[in-house]
Amino acid sequence: MKELWNRHISEGDLRAYADHELSEIQVKPLEAHLKTCPDCQHTLAAVSTRSSVVQGKFQTLPVSTPELTPTWAARARLENMIERKESTTVFNKIFSKRNRTAWAILGIVAIALSLLAFPGVRAIASSFLGLFRVEEVAIVQVNPGDLPQQLGSSAQLEMMFTEDVQVEEEGEAFEPASIEEAESAAGFDIRLPGEVDGEPELLVKPGTTVTFQVDVERLRGILREIGREDIEIPEGLDGEEVVFSASTAVAAQYGDCEFDPGAAREEGYDPDDVNTPYLPRCTSLIQMPSPTVEAKPGLDINKIGEAFLQVVGMTPEEAAQFSQSIDWTTTLVLPLPANEATYTKVEVDGVDATLITEPKGQRNSQYMLIWVKDGILYGLAGPGGMETALTIGNSLQ
Amino acid sequence: MAVKINHMIKQRPVKTGDKAGVDIQTDVANAFEALFRNHWNRVCNIVYRLVGDPDEAEDLALEAFWRLYGRYRSGEIQENTGGWLYRVATNLGYNALRARKRRRAYEEEAAKELIVSNAGENTAAEVDSREEQERVRWVLGKIKPRSAQILLLKYSGFSYSEIASAVDVAPSSVGALLVRAEKEFEKKYRELEGRQP
């Protein structure tokens, strides 16, 4: 900027002047020139008018976000990002606030696990007790709208994952060269369906142990955050451990199982929109020895189950009724969104199985079939409906 | 890990202000904590004005702080940390805004439906205001990134020197850049109005 305004003043300087952003040394000569220069007066008026028009537009934008997360909670989220991003970015995506559905599921799993740790009576024995082994599958229908929304943004829950849950994986997943190699890694006989076209691609996923150390204060905090302080947590379990173990699993995949973002997008898949999941033309069968949960004895498992059901939206009465109809020590209870899938009991592979299907009329509908036979948990999923599911499920050899 | 977070939350460092760059060598952690505490709300609010979705704004704000953390840890930190933070945050917001453009068509449809279905509940003024916000954001996505940043910061109460440090220009250029940005904004806004029935 010139010290003396012997030429016309630039629009930028006039703008700064109008915004009171010039120093006193600059203002005096500018005003002196302005007094005598109609051109500059005109420019100033035009600049000021335009800026007030634009300012008016910006005033329609809200000044502050309606849901500002408290600084300390945001700081805890950031800590998680730092931890997670250093290992994997996928995990971080799960923790994204945008990803509320995934969050809610994680939340349910976490709460299911944590609820398993609450005994009705104080644990006295020091040895661990085999508590749970999957023999059956039961579905509880959940209305996503009834889930505590706060699960998706619970900072306490995030911290629990970071601090109290330890995941130990026995190794990296790998593609075995043969079925024999897969069997020797898995330690059980692998069965494959006859009624699927193509050769299977096998994937061996070594076992995982999840150790959850009970932090009673934190659990109370989570229940407080989701507005369920009515669910009681007994004293005396602080610091105790609950161990969830899944043995080696083997997946057999048939068809178009590689995720190809380009091809998916052409079919209308939008990676930013959780409501349009990409449904590959891939049939997969997962088999693994039944996972187990171990904790100290003395657990009133019915009460725990009922609490879990209440968290996913049942009334205490409904929860009590459901709880009495199943054996919690042998039943894997899967929450299923009521609007998005239906389920039915079928017979497959000579045993009772649970078939989950999407509502009729949906494009690319998928099924999922779950059953347990001889201590092995099977999960079959693919495109199609009940008929396809039963045909493939019954063809295991 | 437990110790680390608790330490960070409970022992809130007492340093304030934007002297983070200076203190970095003596107390990196404290400097970062102070910066986070002092700027979290403001960064969130600015990004929210730009993207209009509270959850997305928070994710983006965290992303900006996460990148800043990376700089701290790698020792890359120099002066003008605050300015860097707002530049990155508004860039992320701007990119998010533009990434949404390809979904615009059906979003507009959805918005129309929303307006129709809520017609009984919302006053005409509320509907107008929401439409106006979307128009402003649309225009911001259309003009040059730096222009959008400058306007956003200016009309969120930033001084010229703060704007200058955020977009990395001399404070004496801010006036001229503002004028240019406002011209761009006005032009695109008129185009938009001209296209509407």
Side-chain angles (χ1 to χ4, degrees), chain B residues 153-169:
Chain B
L153 295 173
K154 168 65 188 164
Y155 293 118
S156 301
F158 277 55
S159 71
Y160 278 27
S161 69
E162 286 176 311
I163 295 172
S165 90
V167 297
D168 207 16
V169 297

Side-chain angles (χ1 to χ4, degrees), chain B residues 43 47 50 60-61 64 84-94 149:
Chain B
V43 171
V47 178
L50 196 53
L60 295 169
W84 188 91
L85 178 65
Y86 285 97
R87 179 158 67 250
V88 169
T90 50
N91 263 334
L92 289 170
Y94 182 82
Q149 280 174 312

Side-chain angles (χ1 to χ4, degrees), chain B residues 71-87:
Chain B
R71 270 168 68 102
Y72 266 84
R73 213 184 40 170
S74 65
E76 260 180 73
I77 211 70
Q78 290 145 9
E79 288 170 14
N80 186 21
T81 313
W84 188 91
L85 178 65
Y86 285 97
R87 179 158 67 250

Side-chain angles (χ1 to χ4, degrees), chain B residues 15 18 51 77 83 97 106 140 143 145-146 180 184 192:
Chain B
K15 290 196 184 83
D18 200 357
V51 299
I77 211 70
L97 197 63
Y106 78 69
L140 282 174
I143 61 177
R146 191 167 74 173
R180 199 184 301 162
E184 274 182 64
L192 180 66

Side-chain angles (χ1 to χ4, degrees), chain A residues 225-297:
Chain A
E225 278 189 336
I226 65 171
R228 292 307 304 261
E229 287 159 288
D230 54 312
I231 299 174
E232 273 185 41
I233 302 176
E235 294 290 345
L237 258 208
D238 207 30
E240 297 292 353
E241 283 184 343
V242 179
V243 183
F244 169 90
S245 335
S247 328
T248 302
V250 177
Q253 300 181 318
Y254 297 83
D256 182 14
C257 294
E258 289 287 311
F259 180 75
D260 178 350
R265 213 167 275 133
E266 278 173 21
E267 294 189 12
Y269 166 76
D270 181 346
D272 296 336
D273 186 353
V274 290
N275 295 318
T276 63
Y278 175 60
L279 303 171
R281 280 173 292 269
C282 166
T283 298
S284 61
L285 173 74
I286 293 171
Q287 45 202 309
M288 65 191 293
S290 162
T292 60
V293 178
E294 293 184 345
K296 287 197 173 181

